[in-house]
Amino acid sequence: MYIGLGSNLGDRRSQLDLALTRLRDIADVRRVSSYYRTEPVGHARQPDFYNAVAEIRWDGPAAKLLAALKRIERQLGRVARFVNGPREIDLDILDFGGVVRERPDPVLPHPRMADRRFVLAPLAEIAPGWRHPADGRTAQALLAAISGGPRVRRLPRERPAA
């Protein structure tokens, strides 16, 4: 299972770090991508995002995972604004073990992930051979198929203080 993380308000790196800490409290986090700085999609007049993808193991239904992710967002101060607007933290289920469904929530796999470089770049980093459950293309193939669009740049890992 894969979770997308994003933040573009406040200390974005710290927000992702805190979200991962909270995610580790509820699930077995297997791998985490590098952090990526990405231009916003949709509403362009906002700060760039920091994005990442985490591979997790979860022993429950998708609806309970979604509820847990929304709870983490609230704990980290997410404020509802408008669609594609700025946010303190955003946690999305990208893939839930290959399940394909249109309802009830969550829609699986994430309905826009195949078109979003900011999801596919970190996903391809940690799981290049992952296959989209609906069309079978790999993360790398989906990423290569995207032309143009917002820039995505891998950030250097922070070094611990000496």
Side-chain angles (χ1 to χ4, degrees):
M1 291 170 219
Y2 295 92
I3 305 298
L5 301 93
S7 174
N8 77 332
L9 292 177
D11 184 339
R12 298 164 292 184
R13 186 180 295 270
S14 291
Q15 285 287 86
L16 294 184
D17 290 344
L18 284 169
L20 286 166
T21 296
R22 298 282 172 91
L23 192 55
R24 286 183 177 98
D25 290 341
I26 65 162
D28 178 12
V29 176
R30 302 285 178 110
R31 291 185 284 183
V32 178
S33 72
S34 301
Y35 292 175
Y36 289 74
R37 184 176 184 144
T38 65
E39 294 176 339
V41 172
H43 180 70
R45 299 186 81 177
Q46 60 181 317
D48 285 354
F49 278 83
Y50 279 21
N51 292 98
V53 168
E55 179 185 13
I56 68 163
R57 184 164 168 252
W58 169 264
D59 294 324
K64 287 201 179 208
L65 177 57
L66 179 62
L69 296 178
K70 295 303 173 195
R71 191 168 41 255
I72 291 170
E73 288 179 346
R74 284 190 306 275
Q75 290 169 349
L76 296 181
R78 178 160 179 180
V79 175
R81 290 177 176 83
F82 54 89
V83 176
N84 293 326
R87 57 207 86 145
E88 292 79 6
I89 191 68
D90 187 30
L91 302 172
D92 292 318
I93 301 172
L94 302 175
D95 174 56
F96 192 81
V99 172
V100 176
R101 73 176 192 198
E102 293 192 24
R103 62 183 108 127
D105 268 348
V107 174
L108 298 168
H110 190 284
R112 293 171 301 283
M113 71 178 290
D115 302 320
R116 293 184 164 173
R117 187 184 309 274
F118 66 86
V119 169
L120 294 172
L123 178 62
E125 176 191 338
I126 63 170
W130 171 86
R131 292 192 176 275
H132 192 283
D135 74 14
R137 289 184 290 168
T138 66
Q140 281 188 321
L142 289 165
L143 181 59
I146 296 175
S147 61
R151 288 183 346 124
V152 174
R153 179 175 53 93
R154 185 189 295 188
L155 297 169
R157 297 221 186 246
E158 282 198 347
R159 300 195 193 314

